[in-house]
Amino acid sequence: MIEETQVAVLVSEAKAGRLSAFNTLVEEYQTPIYNLAYRMLTDTAVAEDVAQDTFVAAYRKLHQFKEGNFRAWLMRIAANFCRDYMRSAQVRRNVSLEALVEQPSFVLTSNGASPEDFTLRRELAQVLQATLATLPEDQRLAVVLVDVQEFSYEESAQIMGIPVGTVKSRLSRGRLALRDRLSSQRELLPTEFRLR
């Protein structure tokens, strides 16, 4: 992880036309940008396109970035691309179960996991991603930024372009909706997380 002072130097060098500095920034942030796009859009190919579009747009608009949190600036560009994609007429609103099985979002494994544990965790991961995809986009973005990407409320507010209180409100509503929707899948949750 590059420190903020190093990021500031790389940004300034990239603004001066040094492509290798911008490439270093891409390497640093490509995974979180892709993860955000995937969690929002649930399609690996589209998430890859959004990540690429994010960096192309960032490179073109680099002169507009003044000072501040470069990571939050990039995430805001990615979030806007995700919103644009979700609002486009080309997007089908329903995701088939087959597509979710073919492209599982993540797999939770441990070194000593039995095949049964592995299967349950994989199924839980699929249910979590499918449930996350049912949230309204503003709540989904708040949950992805704070709970998945582990951004602070302040960074999330900066990325979303809204006040911190609104982030907390959307996050709360999103978490509540997830909990309600997952309550029918209690058997998949680890024992300590099962709702009673």
Side-chain angles (χ1 to χ4, degrees):
M1 182 82 126
I2 300 176
E3 293 181 20
E4 279 299 312
T5 54
Q6 292 173 304
V7 170
V9 169
L10 289 168
V11 168
S12 167
E13 290 176 359
K15 282 182 174 184
R18 191 166 155 237
L19 190 57
S20 62
F22 187 77
N23 287 340
T24 302
L25 292 168
V26 170
E27 289 171 8
E28 177 69 15
Y29 296 114
Q30 65 187 355
T31 300
I33 294 291
Y34 170 81
N35 287 338
L36 171 69
Y38 181 75
R39 296 285 181 203
M40 292 297 293
L41 304 171
T42 68
D43 184 306
T44 55
V46 175
E48 289 170 359
D49 289 345
V50 165
Q52 182 176 349
D53 291 345
T54 297
F55 288 110
V56 169
Y59 186 74
R60 289 180 179 156
K61 297 178 181 182
L62 197 56
H63 65 282
Q64 294 176 1
F65 177 74
K66 302 302 176 203
E67 287 186 21
N69 188 328
F70 184 73
R71 179 175 74 154
W73 183 73
L74 274 178
M75 286 293 197
R76 185 168 190 174
I77 293 170
N80 287 337
F81 274 117
C82 289
R83 285 184 185 121
D84 291 346
Y85 181 81
M86 288 188 296
R87 291 177 184 153
S88 74
Q90 302 168 2
V91 178
R92 289 191 336 221
R93 298 294 177 196
N94 296 321
V95 177
S96 72
L97 289 176
E98 292 81 16
L100 290 172
V101 171
E102 290 173 10
Q103 300 176 359
S105 60
F106 60 90
V107 177
L108 302 171
T109 61
S110 64
N111 290 338
S114 69
E116 181 181 338
D117 289 341
F118 177 82
T119 302
L120 284 174
R121 288 183 177 163
R122 183 179 177 116
E123 191 173 344
L124 174 60
Q126 292 169 349
V127 168
L128 283 171
Q129 183 61 40
T131 305
L132 184 62
T134 66
L135 294 178
E137 72 178 64
D138 60 340
Q139 293 175 20
R140 185 182 334 161
L141 183 57
V143 169
V144 168
L145 290 173
V146 175
D147 290 342
V148 178
Q149 297 280 347
E150 298 180 345
F151 281 98
S152 68
Y153 292 129
E154 292 76 17
E155 285 179 309
S156 297
Q158 188 178 5
I159 291 166
M160 296 174 75
I162 57 176
V164 171
T166 306
V167 170
K168 290 179 180 180
S169 172
R170 290 178 182 177
L171 182 63
S172 177
R173 286 194 312 265
R175 286 174 175 167
L176 183 60
L178 284 173
R179 188 190 75 196
D180 290 346
R181 291 172 184 158
L182 290 172
S183 65
S184 65
Q185 303 287 330
R186 290 183 194 152
E187 69 280 358
L188 295 176
L189 297 173
T191 309
E192 64 270 18
F193 295 114
R194 290 184 185 171
L195 302 172
R196 291 179 179 36

